[in-house]
């Protein structure tokens, strides 16, 4: 059962004091929460729980299903607008422009010419892009394992073409299934500290 609005507000107030960058706490509004149905309170609490459990989280809130962004728009719009644009009112309008003709030379951007001598690291959040799976926060252990097995061929193709490393913290991939990318807890904590891997949600 989800906590009461009063309980969450008390916790949010403490987090706003100790960790003002925690957007789950920053944009938690007791009046809004109290106005939700009991069912929506349960779902909304799941969306913000990681931010309340991890005080130093910068975002601290994650949709469980794509519809959560609409259902809880009064909250998510502020948190997302602030995180991406420093625009909690979401007043700015995003325009997609896939024309790369003006980027670099012939559509190729040489980062070294911009003064970046070292290679950059990139995370690809594919868990939000496969319609046959729930969003990560709502995945079961079985969903996560099936997702990882589904993606293995794609990861291998990316590694072959571009290099890189796949880090997996899944405990296993099923009986008799080889787990080539598994890391131990020490490596996991190292990657979390380096902001390469997410904290446990």
């Amino acid at each position: 059962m989800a906590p009461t609005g009063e309980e969450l507000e008390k916790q949010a107030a403490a987090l706003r004091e100790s960790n003002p960058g925690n957007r789950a706490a920053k944009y938690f509004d007791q009046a809004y929460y109290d106005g939700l149905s009991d069912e929506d309170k349960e779902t909304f609490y799941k969306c913000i729980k990681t931010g309340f459990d991890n005080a130093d989280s910068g975002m601290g809130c994650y949709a469980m299903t794509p519809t959560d962004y609409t259902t809880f728009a009064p909250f998510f719009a502020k948190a997302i607008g602030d995180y991406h644009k420093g625009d909690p009112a979401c007043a700015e309008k995003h325009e997609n422009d896939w024309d790369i003709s003006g980027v670099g030379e012939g559509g190729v951007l040489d980062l070294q010419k911009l003064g970046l001598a070292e290679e950059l690291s990139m995370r690809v959040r594919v868990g939000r892009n496969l319609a046959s799976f729930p969003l990560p926060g709502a995945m079961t252990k079985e969903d996560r394992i099936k997702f990882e097995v589904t993606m293995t061929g794609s990861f291998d193709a990316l590694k072959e073409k571009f290099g890189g490393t796949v880090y997996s913290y899944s405990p296993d991939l099923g009986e008799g299934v080889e787990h080539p990318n598994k890391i131990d807890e020490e490596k996991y904590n190292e990657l979390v500290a380096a902001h390469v891997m997410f904290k446990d949600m």
Side-chain angles (χ1 to χ4, degrees):
M1 185 170 156
T4 66
E6 187 175 350
E7 290 168 335
L8 286 174
E9 177 53 35
K10 184 177 179 183
Q11 192 176 356
L15 286 169
R16 287 192 285 266
E17 181 72 26
S18 66
N19 296 80
N22 182 319
R23 289 169 180 86
K26 182 178 182 179
Y27 294 109
F28 176 79
D29 181 305
Q30 183 181 349
Y32 170 72
Y33 180 80
D34 287 341
L36 298 174
S37 69
D38 288 345
E39 183 179 354
D40 280 350
K41 282 179 185 171
E42 293 288 340
T43 304
F44 183 74
Y45 177 62
K46 289 177 185 174
C47 293
I48 64 170
K49 185 177 185 306
T50 185
F52 281 60
D53 289 347
N54 298 286
D56 62 343
S57 176
M59 189 65 188
C61 49
Y62 303 95
M64 299 292 113
T65 68
T67 58
D68 291 344
Y69 292 114
T70 304
T71 303
F72 307 117
F75 167 80
F76 272 117
K78 293 175 191 170
I80 293 169
D82 182 11
Y83 183 80
H84 288 292
K85 296 278 189 175
D87 175 30
C90 276
E92 295 184 28
K93 184 170 174 19
H94 176 74
E95 298 287 346
N96 286 329
D97 183 359
W98 297 102
D99 179 8
I100 62 168
S101 61
V103 175
E105 297 173 13
V108 177
L109 181 61
D110 186 344
L111 296 178
Q112 291 187 347
K113 290 182 179 177
L114 297 176
L116 300 174
E118 296 183 25
E119 293 182 6
L120 294 177
S121 174
M122 178 179 71
R123 292 186 296 192
V124 180
R125 298 176 178 182
V126 293
R128 299 178 187 185
N129 301 325
L130 299 182
S132 56
F133 291 92
L135 294 179
M139 279 184 170
T140 63
K141 176 183 173 182
E142 291 73 24
D143 289 332
R144 289 176 182 267
I145 290 171
K146 186 177 177 185
F147 171 81
E148 188 165 339
V149 170
T150 300
M151 292 301 301
T152 299
S154 298
F155 294 151
D156 290 342
L158 286 170
K159 286 196 305 185
E160 185 177 329
K161 184 169 183 179
F162 300 107
T165 305
V166 174
Y167 297 113
S168 172
Y169 197 53
S170 299
D172 62 70
L173 297 182
E175 190 174 335
V177 179
E178 183 185 356
H179 197 327
N181 304 311
K182 185 176 181 180
I183 59 172
D184 60 22
E185 189 164 354
E186 182 180 356
K187 184 65 175 179
Y188 168 76
N189 289 327
E190 175 191 323
L191 294 169
V192 168
H195 302 285
V196 172
M197 189 167 274
F198 291 109
K199 296 174 186 172
D200 185 13
M201 291 173 38

